[in-house]
Amino acid sequence: MNDPSPPSLLQRAGREAIAYRRMEGAEPGVMFCGGFMSDMTGTKATALEAHCRSTGRAFVRFDYSGHGESGGAFRDGTIGAWHDDALAVLDEVARGPQVLVGSSMGGWIMLLVALARPERVSALVGVAAAPDFTEDLIWSTLDDEARRTLTGAGEIVMPCDYGEEPYPITMGLIEEGRGHLLLRAPIALHCPIHLLQGMVDEDVPWRTALRIAELVTSERVVVELVKDGDHRLSREQDLARLCRSLDAAARAGTASNHGEHGSGR
C-alpha cells in the first residue's frame, strides 16, 4: 500500500526536484529504478518496499524528472538526465552499499549508475532490462515516414500498450541516448548480477538478457527466463521471484565485498 503522506523532495540547484521515499534498514540497501513513463507507485516498487520492510532492509524508490511526483516535463527527459537523477538519489539519499534493481528502462539506468559508482553498488537485479532501447527498440523499428516526421518535427507520438495515454518520443531522446549505448562493447561491471526476463515479453526481446550477460565482465551472472512471463512481470508469482532474486543478489554482493576486504584488495 502506498504511503498517503507526500514524498520527500531532493532539491538540486538549477535542476528539477526529485521526489523520493526512503525507508531505513540494514545494508546493503535497495534502490529501485523504474521504467519509461513509470513512477515509484508501481507494483514492483511497492512490492519490493514491502519485502524490504519485512526483512529489515533499507529501501529507496524515486521518480525521474518528468515522471510521477518529480518536477519537469516528460518530453524534456533524456537517458542522460534520468541517469543524473538516479545518481543524485544514490549520492544524496541512499546510504551505504546498494543493490540496484532496474525495471525495463531502469535496467539501462541501473547499469549506467553501476558503471559511474562501482564502489557503491553491491549487486544488480534487472527486470526486463532494456539498455539501448531508444536505438534498438524505437529508432530501428520506425519506418521511413516515421523517421522523417521525427527528424523534421522533432517529435512523434506513440501508442501505449498498457492502457495509458499515447506518449511523445523526441528526437532529443533518440540522439542523446546514442551517447549512452552499452550493448556495443564489453561492460566493465564486476558485481553479482541477476537478470529476470519474460519470454513472451512483447517490448524487450528475451535475448537482450543474454546479450547483457555476455557483455558484462562479471563472472557472477544469473539469467532467469520466465517462459510465460510478459514485460511487466508483475503477477504474484513474478513478484515472489523478484524478491527471491533480490535476496540472493544481496547475499552474493555481501559475500563478494567480504571476500575483497579479506584478500586485501
Side-chain angles (χ1 to χ4, degrees):
M1 181 178 295
N2 288 315
D3 188 338
S5 63
S8 300
L9 291 177
L10 174 59
Q11 302 288 352
R12 301 178 295 169
R15 303 290 297 274
E16 301 292 349
I18 298 301
Y20 70 90
R21 294 186 184 275
R22 180 176 64 201
M23 183 175 68
E24 302 295 341
E27 296 181 356
V30 176
M31 177 174 147
F32 182 76
C33 300
F36 190 65
M37 287 200 73
S38 297
D39 61 46
M40 62 175 164
T41 67
T43 304
K44 289 186 285 293
T46 54
L48 285 170
E49 183 177 78
H51 179 69
C52 287
R53 181 178 291 109
S54 71
T55 57
R57 191 177 299 284
F59 183 79
V60 173
R61 53 188 166 113
F62 68 98
D63 287 332
Y64 307 112
S65 55
H67 291 68
E69 297 182 84
S70 290
F74 174 79
R75 61 173 26 89
D76 295 332
T78 61
I79 299 303
W82 296 328
H83 169 225
D84 289 346
D85 295 342
L87 275 179
V89 173
L90 179 65
D91 290 343
E92 302 184 44
V93 176
R95 298 168 181 169
Q98 298 290 309
V99 178
L100 303 183
V101 181
S103 176
S104 194
M105 181 187 79
W108 190 359
I109 301 298
M110 166 190 83
L111 293 169
L112 292 170
V113 169
L115 288 167
R117 300 286 190 274
E119 72 284 358
R120 291 290 310 282
V121 177
S122 178
L124 301 175
V125 178
V127 186
D132 302 8
F133 81 92
T134 52
E135 192 71 15
D136 296 343
L137 304 180
I138 297 179
W139 179 257
S140 68
T141 64
L142 296 176
D143 60 27
D144 290 342
E145 181 180 356
R147 287 188 182 186
R148 283 194 296 270
T149 300
L150 180 54
T151 303
E155 179 179 306
I156 59 173
V157 176
M158 299 188 69
C160 180
D161 295 330
Y162 300 103
E164 290 93 351
E165 292 294 317
Y167 55 86
I169 296 294
T170 67
M171 197 62 203
L173 175 70
I174 300 296
E175 291 179 333
E176 200 274 346
R178 290 170 179 155
H180 304 282
L181 300 179
L182 293 177
L183 299 182
R184 276 73 178 159
I187 304 170
L189 292 174
H190 305 285
C191 62
I193 302 171
H194 196 118
L195 301 171
L196 291 171
Q197 176 66 53
M199 293 186 74
V200 292
D201 186 336
E202 295 183 355
D203 296 299
V204 178
W206 60 266
R207 289 178 178 81
T208 301
L210 304 183
R211 183 63 175 156
I212 297 169
E214 178 184 31
L215 288 174
V216 293
T217 52
S218 176
E219 296 294 330
R220 295 161 294 172
V221 181
V222 174
V223 177
E224 188 171 351
L225 298 176
V226 184
K227 190 168 184 178
D228 64 344
D230 62 8
H231 182 62
R232 287 192 164 183
L233 287 178
S234 291
R235 300 169 301 180
E236 184 176 346
Q237 64 266 36
D238 297 324
L239 298 174
R241 182 181 288 109
L242 173 58
C243 291
R244 290 194 300 270
S245 301
L246 170 61
D247 291 342
R251 288 193 299 270
T254 300
S256 174
N257 289 338
H258 287 168
E260 288 179 6
H261 294 323
S263 66
R265 288 182 290 175

